[in-house]
Amino acid sequence: MGQNQDKGKKYLTASIYYVIGNVIGQGVVLLSSGIFTRMMSQEAYGLVNTYAAWVLVLNTFIGLNLFITVRNAYIDYFEKYEEFVSSVLLLSLLAFVVLTAGIIGGIKLFHIKTDLFVVLLAAVQAISLHTINYEMAVQSMKNQYKQRTLLLIFPNCIHTFLSIGLIMICTSNPYYAKILGNMLGLLLFAVAIIICTFSRQKPRYIKEYWKYALIISLPAILNTLSDLVLIQSDRIMLTELVGADETAVYSLVYNIGSIIFALYTAINGAWGAWFYKSLAQKEEQKIKNVQTVYLYGLSLLTIGILTVSPEIIKILSPSSYWQGIDYVNLIVISSFLMFIYAFFTTYLMYLKKTGMIAINTVIAAMFNVGLNYLLIPDYKAVGAAVATMVSYIILFLLHYRAAKKQTTDCFCIAKMFGSIGIVTGYGIVFYFIRNQFVIRSVIVVILASIVLAMAYRYWQRRGEKK
């Protein structure tokens, strides 16, 4: 019993570290939006966000999505984990070289009109991001929360500061300066990770590890690409169908929703590792208890973030961006749905059913693209936001059905639907009070009081148990 309590404390501590790290790291990126929206034209800022969308698409397959395999490998190859990590990282780097050469060769062969320098920057940034994600997944399984927290903070800080510095130097082309700063900041950490990993264990080809990793990662590429279509296609299509100015506003608003997903990502760093190990030990009730805490906590945070979102948008941008306040509730609800269905996808990943996840995500992505084509020409960014929310509702239901076929023993289904209902209901209310500062301020005070009361009761119960 004492050993389980010690483990629980470690993962609680890790969760706190990850939340703090993500708040700082993403906070720097979010606050820097206020700088970049003023240092760059609206069109240039929109193009930067379109470039970022393409980087994430490249990141999916340029390293063969291999970073997702290290969680399963920690369970299946515990005794040889360092050997596995080194060997599979080598495979991802080889895939980067081959695929980048293929992309550039294809552009040359088919005479595609594009900027090869930007393509190369995007490819290098993509493998750098993949390498950082790979190392963070490893650290998560080892519960090296201090090191992982540093990786949540410093890459974002460095690439942001580099971008600001380069824009100040290269005032004639802030677009190039921004994307170059992003790439260099991430590359610096990726190189350090590669050197450290290969110094711990010499990299070499091991057929068993490569086969194991590819069986898990390759089906998941389709899933991740489809997921990115859901996340990024709206920005790409807004740029093509309406213009980069509209994309700039939409991207800034999307950053508000990204706060919620960043908090989930932070928590998931500890949750995912704990969830895998608890499932292996058949501790379903304990999983449901922790899941309940996450559901209540993220529901309150989501409502709180949505409540203050108009002020965040106004602080981060000039008035030409403030039209985004009218649809920020749709983006926030979509982000909350991502957090909820991630419980199901984590479980399906544990079962190595990446193909099932991929099929569901492809279906939702097809709906998203179709809805974007229908709605964006007439409703612009609002249409994109509606398409995103509807697609995430579909994806949540598909993943719920897939997980339900396996088991419902480790899910708080009623509480999940209840949380979605509460957040969605408040999202509707918010639309009518979005310009009522006083009413929203009262709501913030009430929410803060609830959180403090819950925290007090929690620590009081801990004191009574001691």
Side-chain angles (χ1 to χ4, degrees), residues 321-334:
Y321 286 76
W322 295 358
Q323 59 187 288
I325 294 170
D326 293 341
Y327 56 86
V328 66
N329 57 335
L330 302 177
I331 300 298
V332 169
I333 292 169
S334 300

Side-chain angles (χ1 to χ4, degrees), residues 105-307:
I107 290 170
K108 290 278 190 181
L109 181 64
F110 294 104
H111 304 289
I112 298 171
K113 292 182 179 180
T114 190
D115 191 330
L116 281 177
F117 177 65
V118 172
V119 172
L120 187 60
L121 284 183
V124 173
Q125 185 172 332
I127 192 59
S128 300
L129 182 60
H130 176 276
T131 304
I132 292 169
N133 287 335
Y134 188 94
E135 177 64 13
M136 286 200 294
V138 171
Q139 290 170 349
S140 176
M141 294 310 295
K142 293 180 177 180
N143 205 28
Q144 295 175 336
Y145 54 86
K146 292 181 181 178
Q147 295 93 317
R148 192 175 188 275
T149 301
L150 293 177
L151 281 180
L152 287 169
I153 297 173
F154 285 105
N156 281 339
C157 292
I158 296 301
H159 83 66
T160 299
F161 294 145
L162 274 174
S163 294
I164 292 171
L166 288 172
I167 290 173
M168 292 174 70
I169 294 169
C170 185
T171 54
S172 61
N173 200 329
Y175 167 62
Y176 277 114
K178 176 73 169 73
I179 63 176
L180 182 61
N182 288 352
M183 186 277 289
L184 289 174
L186 295 178
L187 178 63
L188 177 68
F189 286 90
V191 170
I193 288 166
I194 292 166
I195 292 170
C196 290
T197 301
F198 290 167
S199 64
R200 289 195 303 265
Q201 182 72 45
K202 184 178 178 181
R204 59 194 181 95
Y205 164 68
I206 300 176
K207 182 180 179 181
E208 180 185 355
Y209 297 160
W210 287 23
K211 182 179 178 182
Y212 172 92
L214 291 171
I215 287 172
I216 296 173
S217 72
L218 290 180
I221 289 176
L222 185 59
N223 164 57
T224 310
L225 278 174
S226 302
D227 213 16
L228 282 171
V229 168
L230 279 168
I231 298 172
Q232 304 294 342
S233 67
D234 41 14
R235 299 180 216 194
I236 294 170
M237 292 172 71
L238 273 171
T239 301
E240 294 298 321
L241 297 175
V242 181
D245 287 3
E246 192 77 8
T247 307
V249 177
Y250 185 83
S251 296
L252 181 72
V253 174
Y254 211 98
N255 284 340
I256 306 299
S258 296
I259 299 172
I260 297 158
F261 195 69
L263 289 170
Y264 155 72
T265 303
I267 293 169
N268 192 51
W271 159 263
W274 179 84
F275 182 67
Y276 270 48
K277 293 169 187 176
S278 297
L279 277 175
Q281 295 168 10
K282 311 292 185 185
E283 297 176 328
E284 284 85 1
Q285 188 55 50
K286 187 186 291 185
I287 290 170
K288 290 171 80 171
N289 292 340
V290 175
Q291 193 176 96
T292 299
V293 175
Y294 282 167
L295 283 169
Y296 290 162
L298 261 295
S299 297
L300 282 170
L301 282 169
T302 299
I303 292 171
I305 290 166
L306 179 56
T307 301

